[in-house]
């Protein structure tokens, strides 16, 4: 006895494709002699050479993703965050990946793609950013104390790990609180452009530390991105981008060293399953 399978009727989508690619970000004027060569460029309407003369890299970075130039205070906040995130540090898995491929004689051109892929992960990486940004944007106008009491009432076993599941952007790293993340968050919150999300995060952080968990570096980044108006879906990629210089620096540092410059896991640390 055979079983009949029903399939949805195949239909044409009837969706015409555009004839030309369009972008609102960048406008190029073609050269008079060769239409495939640009003679000038505008970034969201601003002439590239004028930006080179009058604005900073941070300003143009903001312009590229937000479509408008930042105020002086917004530029300051973004610049300070960029410095804070410029290097994930040698304890971070992404940096270890960069160091391993560097010492392993992988082409230097491949160090950054490999390492930033790790920095985009769901642990200590960009994968934590979007949910944290959405959480902060939703709760930033809510009374912290009331929100904390109501949320903790739903946590049966109040271990730091269980509590962290209800607070994206907060957690525990290697059994403890990220000390530098708290210091960075408090410093950035003192700047003029710090907004509701970052201030709310700092207030919540004080209360959660008594529960054994605190703000994560990814949480700090998410709060600042939210205050500066970046979209949540872009947050993880921006986090990768801002951490890229440090990853590349660590990878290149070991690129010309022998493979013995990195430790090798000893035999006693391997377990053979039989």
């Amino acid at each position: 006895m055979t079983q009949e399978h029903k399939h949805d009727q195949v239909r044409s989508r009837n969706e015409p494709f555009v004839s030309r690619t369009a972008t609102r970000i960048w406008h190029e004027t073609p050269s008079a002699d060769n239409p495939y060569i640009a003679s000038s460029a505008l970034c969201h309407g601003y002439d590239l050479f004028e930006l080179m003369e009058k604005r900073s890299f941070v300003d143009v970075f903001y312009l590229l993703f937000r479509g408008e130039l930042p105020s002086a205070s917004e530029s300051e906040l973004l610049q300070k965050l960029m410095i804070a995130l410029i290097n994930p540090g040698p304890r971070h898995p992404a940096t270890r990946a960069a160091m391993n491929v560097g010492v392993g004689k992988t082409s230097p051109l491949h160090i950054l793609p490999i390492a930033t892929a790790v920095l985009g992960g769901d642990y200590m990486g960009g994968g934590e950013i979007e949910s944290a940004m959405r959480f902060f944007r939703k709760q930033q106008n809510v009374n912290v104390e009331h929100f904390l009491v109501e949320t903790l009432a739903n946590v049966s076993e109040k271990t730091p790990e269980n509590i962290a599941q209800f607070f994206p952007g907060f957690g525990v790293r290697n059994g403890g609180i990220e000390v530098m993340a708290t210091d960075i968050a408090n410093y950035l919150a003192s700047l003029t452009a710090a907004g509701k999300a970052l201030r709310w995060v700092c207030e919540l952080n004080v209360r959660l530390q008594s529960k054994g968990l605190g703000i994560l570096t990814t949480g700090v980044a998410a709060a600042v991105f939210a205050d500066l108006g970046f979209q949540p879906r872009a947050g993880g990629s921006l986090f990768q981008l801002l951490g890229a210089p440090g990853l590349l620096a660590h990878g290149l540092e070991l690129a010309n060293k022998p493979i013995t410059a990195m430790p090798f896991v000893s035999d006693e640390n391997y377990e053979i399953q039989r």
Side-chain angles (χ1 to χ4, degrees):
M1 186 174 181
T2 60
Q3 183 178 2
E4 295 183 1
H5 295 276
K6 295 182 179 180
H7 300 279
D8 293 336
Q9 183 179 359
V10 178
R11 296 179 300 170
S12 172
R13 295 173 61 180
N14 292 323
E15 295 178 3
F17 288 88
V18 297
S19 58
R20 299 176 63 184
T21 301
T23 175
R24 293 180 297 177
I25 298 172
W26 201 264
H27 175 76
E28 295 180 344
T29 301
S31 167
D33 299 327
N34 188 337
Y36 297 99
I37 296 177
S39 61
S40 65
L42 302 177
C43 179
H44 287 291
Y46 292 90
D47 181 76
L48 180 63
F49 282 91
E50 187 174 359
L51 291 171
M52 290 167 59
E53 292 174 1
K54 300 179 179 179
R55 307 302 296 226
S56 67
F57 173 81
V58 177
D59 289 348
V60 181
F61 182 97
Y62 183 98
L63 171 67
L64 187 64
F65 290 99
R66 292 281 285 110
E68 58 187 22
L69 286 168
S71 65
S73 59
E74 288 171 333
S75 181
E76 179 190 28
L77 177 60
L78 179 57
Q79 181 179 355
K80 303 302 185 185
L81 177 69
M82 293 175 77
I83 294 172
L85 299 182
I86 196 170
N87 186 3
R91 289 180 173 81
H92 198 287
T95 309
R96 303 292 290 183
M99 297 169 79
N100 284 328
V101 296
V103 80
K105 301 301 175 283
T106 298
S107 168
L109 294 175
H110 297 157
I111 293 174
L112 200 52
I114 293 170
T116 52
V118 180
L119 192 59
D122 290 336
Y123 176 69
M124 298 180 68
E128 298 179 343
I129 301 287
E130 181 176 350
S131 59
M133 287 185 70
R134 295 190 186 280
F135 174 66
F136 298 154
R137 294 200 331 177
K138 180 179 179 181
Q139 307 297 343
Q140 63 186 14
N141 293 314
V142 175
N143 180 277
V144 170
E145 186 63 34
H146 293 165
F147 176 76
L148 182 60
V149 171
E150 291 177 2
T151 304
L152 291 179
N154 297 317
V155 183
S156 55
E157 187 177 351
K158 293 178 174 55
T159 64
E161 291 75 15
N162 286 343
I163 295 174
Q165 298 178 32
F166 293 84
F167 298 92
F170 291 81
V172 177
R173 294 287 194 234
N174 301 312
I177 294 173
E178 278 196 52
V179 177
M180 284 186 61
T182 290
D183 292 341
I184 291 170
N186 291 334
Y187 171 76
L188 295 176
S190 70
L191 301 179
T192 304
K196 291 182 178 180
L198 186 55
R199 290 196 296 267
W200 189 86
V201 158
C202 288
E203 187 177 348
L204 179 62
N205 187 44
V206 172
R207 289 166 168 77
L208 284 179
Q209 286 194 351
S210 64
K211 312 297 180 184
L213 70 159
I215 186 68
L216 303 173
T217 300
T218 48
V220 177
V224 176
F225 290 154
D227 280 342
L228 289 175
F230 293 105
Q231 293 301 311
R233 290 196 66 187
S237 299
L238 292 174
F239 184 76
Q240 288 177 292
L241 190 57
L242 299 190
L247 300 180
L248 183 58
H250 282 290
L252 291 175
E253 180 186 34
L254 288 171
N256 294 319
K257 293 186 177 181
I259 197 168
T260 52
M262 287 287 284
F264 189 82
V265 180
S266 58
D267 291 345
E268 56 266 23
N269 289 306
Y270 286 96
E271 181 179 350
I272 300 177
Q273 299 290 335
R274 299 185 184 277

